[in-house]
Amino acid sequence: TYSAIMSTWGQRCDTIHFLTDAMVGGELNGDHISFTNNNGEEETTKPYWEYPPETFPSNVKFINMTRTWECPPTYNKRTGRTEQKVCRHIWEKMWRSWVYVDEHHKNDAEWFCKIDYDTFFFPDNFKYYVRDVKDWDPVGEHHYFGHVIQHRSRKDAPMVVGASACWSRKTLGGIAQVYREMPKGSKKGERGK
């Protein structure tokens, strides 16, 4: 995925970062990430910091995206057993990612876009739209766009979701502050930070 993006639309971005979980490889299995080796034995992957230096490109950023509480038990077709798994949730990934970008890359760009790995993005069209068509000020004005939904009913405030969502620098700063201050639910471990 990294190579496909970097060899196509990624090279037309002014700056690009890939945000991923701190654990590398395999699938979530119980409370750890694992994979099956060539002998059919389960092996646990390791955190990125245990890999040799220069293993990952410098624009790949690792963030802890695993919640500390357990999800409901699920049936594992491979083993034929019901298993308890650690909960991994897209919302956790999103708010942590936006806070990370605000804290580490806010001054690197005027616009910030979350693009799913299976989405083809046209940076030149995006730049043309926000600069030439709309003439938006990304530093002084709040702007965000993407696919708009209302989460539970038409009475709810709309949210921007989907394969891509883009925010001006001013919006990034504002929403990152909201995410830092929002109630976090569990106060244990990483989730409470």
Side-chain angles (χ1 to χ4, degrees):
T1 304
Y2 176 88
S3 298
I5 291 171
M6 290 307 295
S7 67
T8 57
W9 62 265
Q11 61 189 323
R12 294 193 308 272
C13 295
D14 295 331
T15 183
I16 186 169
H17 297 280
F18 294 80
L19 305 182
T20 189
D21 203 347
M23 298 302 291
V24 178
E27 65 182 30
L28 190 63
N29 186 2
D31 64 352
H32 61 278
I33 298 175
S34 65
F35 63 95
T36 304
N37 65 21
N38 293 337
N39 298 327
E41 301 164 333
E42 184 180 286
E43 292 187 14
T44 302
T45 59
K46 50 191 174 182
Y48 72 93
W49 57 84
E50 292 181 11
Y51 285 83
E54 309 301 321
T55 298
F56 304 102
S58 62
N59 64 344
V60 174
K61 311 298 180 182
F62 297 94
I63 303 170
N64 182 1
M65 298 177 183
T66 304
R67 292 185 181 216
T68 59
W69 65 84
E70 295 177 341
C71 290
T74 57
Y75 179 74
N76 185 328
K77 292 179 186 176
R78 188 172 46 115
T79 64
R81 295 181 301 195
T82 299
E83 299 175 351
Q84 192 70 43
K85 294 194 173 192
V86 172
C87 195
R88 295 171 62 98
H89 194 276
I90 192 66
W91 173 239
E92 189 86 8
K93 178 180 179 179
M94 293 316 306
W95 76 260
R96 286 184 182 269
S97 296
W98 285 120
V99 168
Y100 175 88
V101 170
D102 182 64
E103 291 173 353
H104 296 92
H105 300 288
K106 186 175 181 176
N107 294 319
D108 295 353
E110 295 177 342
W111 292 94
F112 300 86
C113 298
K114 185 255 340 158
I115 310 294
D116 287 357
Y117 72 93
D118 59 352
T119 302
F120 200 88
F121 182 62
F122 294 87
D124 300 327
N125 292 357
F126 172 78
K127 291 175 194 176
Y128 170 76
Y129 180 75
V130 298
R131 291 178 183 162
D132 299 336
V133 174
K134 291 295 193 177
D135 192 30
W136 284 341
D137 172 13
V139 177
E141 299 172 355
H142 287 285
H143 294 288
Y144 67 100
F145 56 94
H147 179 72
V148 177
I149 67 163
Q150 276 148 323
H151 188 58
R152 291 188 173 88
S153 75
R154 297 247 180 243
K155 295 177 186 174
D156 290 339
M159 300 185 325
V160 175
V161 299
S164 66
C166 298
W167 296 356
S168 66
R169 185 186 302 169
K170 183 165 183 150
T171 299
L172 171 65
I175 199 66
Q177 190 60 36
V178 168
Y179 292 158
R180 282 186 203 95
E181 296 171 359
M182 72 181 177
K184 304 290 193 300
S186 172
K187 302 292 184 210
K188 300 184 295 186
E190 278 296 309
R191 179 71 172 129
K193 291 182 182 178

